Amino acid sequence: MGGERRKPRGRAARDAGGASPTRLTRRGRLLVRGGAVLAVLLVAAGGVGLWAYQSLDGNIHSADIDGRLGDDRPANTSPGSKNILVVGSDSRDGDNGKYGKGLTTMQSDTLMVMHVAADREWATVVSLPRDSWVRIPACDRGDGTTSKAHQFKINEAFAVGGTGGEVAGAAACTIKTVEENTGLRIDHFMSVDFQGFKGMVNALDGIEVCPETAIHDTKAHLDLEAGCQTVKGEKALGYVRTRYSVGDGSDIGRIGRQQEFMEALAAKAQDKLTSPAALYGFLDSATESLTTDRELAGIKPLTALASELQGIPGDRLTFLTVPNYPREADVPTDKANVVWQYPQAADLFASLAKDREVDKKSVEADSENPLYATAVRVRVLNATGKAGEAAKVAGLLRAAGFTVVGTGNAPRDTDDTSVSFPGGLERQARALASRLPGTKPSEDGGATPGEVTLTVGGDFDGVR
């Protein structure tokens, strides 16, 4: 990969208590956290022989999603760059059934977007918490029916599209959901199933973890005593799945724990590259559990992607979780989900859509004091000429957490949706406008004090 590499260590040392995690080079962390660790390890697959290459290549599942995404997609504003959606799938069929009887057939457990710049000089990986409260668009369920657009946690998109049991449908609905809420055009996707994860860990004889306190989680089927120990099989799976019995019980905490475990997994895999048997077992499990879009479905395209990632300078790899805050701040009864911070989330995705490198420190600094949607008082005016539009949009805003103070008709109709604000409310106006695609706020000296005005024009395109 270029440059001196520190020797990786095979330990997922960080737990809920906050002990120091295993560390890889920053480049190694991109390959792990971006889901491309599989592609990186596939580079070495040639060492186990042509017959193995052919066998592994045949393991990878291909899903045709082109006809499922529709025509209303974000424009490609940065030709040459790549946005890759990575999903850790939690199918409830077969061996995975014990992890949630009675739940929808297909679930997504981990969700992230990896943006690879057009010049291949930098990359950013953005984790999207599975409990993110977003708009799920109408999707083909795969069983002959179509779902209705609604608000819910983002991981439900995988379940809705996968009602018929096909990863292609699950991936398509997830892509549509991510595209609608981020404005990014997704170029490729990868989905990795739970059972393959267990096989990868077992092929490496387990991974060492060091919880400072005992973990007992019936939902994750996990019982671990405090102290360092090697986990494999069901215990390894339970460790990365556990949530409510560790730390603050949040999905944000679980994301960090999963990333750290994967760092240790990749580190141990690199240590065992000299053992063809162990390497083949690892790659066999990895590829068996992998489903991609048709263009990525094969060792050759995956290794090509890995080569591109290997060439990125280590100091230009950025890892973020989309800025967010507990939805409880807007809806006191919802103690389980998070909402994205605006305009920070919109600014982040707009930068990636235009292939502009993200400054992690700036994003984190801007996100330290979130502006809750309930703190934004909005008056909605109808300028479409269609009766009832103001009330309809007001309902969307309330569902998104905003405080709607009233509705009415604009003095004249227009095609242009706009947001205006009085002095002192620029931050509130930006938070609202950033959730309305294509809308920018403007100050109006005659605006009502304490209120932001949304004038709904003929081009209104929904609320993110």
Side-chain angles (χ1 to χ4, degrees):
M1 289 190 224
E4 185 176 351
R5 180 190 302 165
R6 289 181 295 168
K7 182 179 180 181
R9 294 166 291 161
R11 173 181 292 186
R14 185 167 188 170
D15 70 337
S20 298
T22 296
R23 296 295 180 193
L24 297 179
T25 61
R26 295 196 71 210
R27 184 173 300 140
R29 291 202 298 276
L30 171 71
L31 301 172
V32 174
R33 295 183 180 182
V37 61
L38 301 179
V40 176
L41 295 177
L42 287 171
V43 172
V48 294
L50 177 60
W51 68 272
Y53 180 98
Q54 294 172 333
S55 174
L56 295 172
D57 192 68
N59 282 348
I60 301 170
H61 305 283
S62 169
D64 185 1
I65 60 172
D66 291 342
R68 300 173 184 254
L69 298 178
D71 298 324
D72 187 20
R73 301 184 64 193
N76 181 1
T77 55
S78 58
S81 67
K82 293 180 181 179
N83 291 314
I84 304 169
L85 182 67
V86 183
V87 180
S89 66
D90 182 5
S91 169
R92 302 309 166 108
D93 280 340
D95 292 337
N96 287 339
K98 70 184 76 173
Y99 294 106
K101 294 291 186 182
L103 295 179
T104 310
T105 301
M106 304 184 80
Q107 300 277 322
S108 62
D109 188 66
T110 302
L111 189 63
M112 61 187 76
V113 176
M114 176 168 60
H115 177 88
V116 184
D119 62 8
R120 303 301 188 260
E121 290 296 320
W122 61 274
T124 296
V125 180
V126 183
S127 291
L128 309 178
R130 59 177 288 180
D131 294 339
S132 297
W133 192 262
V134 300
R135 185 174 186 273
I136 310 291
C139 290
D140 181 349
R141 293 180 179 273
D143 63 355
T145 65
T146 301
S147 67
K148 293 182 178 180
H150 62 288
Q151 298 282 136
F152 209 74
K153 59 182 64 184
I154 197 168
N155 75 319
E156 195 203 35
F158 201 81
V160 170
T163 301
E166 296 182 358
V167 174
C173 189
T174 303
I175 289 172
K176 290 179 65 175
T177 299
V178 171
E179 288 189 340
E180 180 165 313
N181 287 278
T182 67
L184 294 173
R185 187 181 181 95
I186 300 300
D187 302 296
H188 301 289
F189 85 90
M190 295 179 176
S191 175
V192 183
D193 185 77
F194 265 174
Q195 293 303 313
F197 171 82
K198 287 198 308 183
M200 287 186 280
V201 174
N202 290 346
L204 300 177
D205 297 323
I207 299 296
E208 187 178 34
V209 297
C210 298
E212 291 188 349
T213 59
I215 303 175
H216 303 292
D217 188 335
T218 56
K219 290 185 177 181
H221 298 269
L222 179 66
D223 284 293
L224 282 183
E225 298 304 319
C228 294
Q229 57 207 283
T230 297
V231 295
K232 59 170 63 174
E234 298 298 326
K235 283 192 174 182
L237 187 54
Y239 183 80
V240 296
R241 292 190 75 251
T242 189
R243 170 179 177 179
Y244 299 105
S245 299
V246 182
D248 62 3
S250 73
D251 192 46
I252 307 301
R254 177 166 57 177
I255 287 174
R257 189 165 52 257
Q258 289 175 342
Q259 290 174 342
E260 288 153 6
F261 192 96
M262 289 302 292
E263 287 180 7
L265 180 71
K268 192 166 186 179
Q270 288 175 336
D271 284 343
K272 282 186 170 280
L273 289 182
T274 55
S275 169
L279 174 61
Y280 180 79
F282 181 89
L283 294 176
D284 189 45
S285 294
T287 52
E288 271 284 358
S289 67
L290 184 64
T291 301
T292 74
D293 59 274
R294 295 177 68 180
E295 288 186 35
L296 280 185
I299 288 183
K300 185 174 181 179
L302 286 174
T303 51
L305 172 62
S307 296
E308 292 180 350
L309 295 173
Q310 286 176 312
I312 294 174
D315 61 350
R316 299 185 68 185
L317 310 179
T318 304
F319 315 100
L320 294 168
T321 296
V322 61
N324 65 84
Y325 62 84
R327 188 168 179 258
E328 183 181 5
D330 294 330
V331 182
T333 57
D334 187 351
K335 302 182 185 301
N337 301 301
V338 300
V339 292
W340 296 351
Q341 282 189 44
Y342 287 91
Q344 293 87 344
D347 291 344
L348 167 63
F349 295 126
S351 293
L352 297 181
K354 296 176 182 177
D355 205 26
R356 295 175 180 168
E357 192 165 6
V358 174
D359 183 340
K360 179 177 180 178
K361 290 184 178 180
S362 294
V363 173
E364 292 178 341
D366 290 343
S367 305
E368 288 181 355
N369 298 304
L371 175 66
Y372 302 141
T374 48
V376 182
R377 294 165 53 83
V378 186
R379 184 171 299 277
V380 184
L381 301 181
N382 180 9
T384 67
K386 300 177 183 178
E389 284 299 296
K392 178 181 176 181
V393 174
L396 295 176
L397 293 177
R398 290 190 183 99
F402 291 97
T403 299
V404 178
V405 297
T407 60
N409 292 317
R412 56 184 176 277
D413 294 343
T414 178
D415 288 333
D416 300 323
T417 298
S418 62
V419 172
S420 59
F421 63 95
L425 292 187
E426 180 178 3
R427 188 182 181 203
Q428 289 83 345
R430 286 190 64 224
L432 173 61
S434 67
R435 302 192 66 168
L436 309 172
T439 304
K440 294 183 178 181
S442 61
E443 186 170 356
D444 180 0
T448 303
E451 298 179 5
V452 175
T453 301
L454 168 60
T455 301
V456 182
D459 65 350
F460 180 77
D461 194 26
V463 179
R464 282 181 181 155

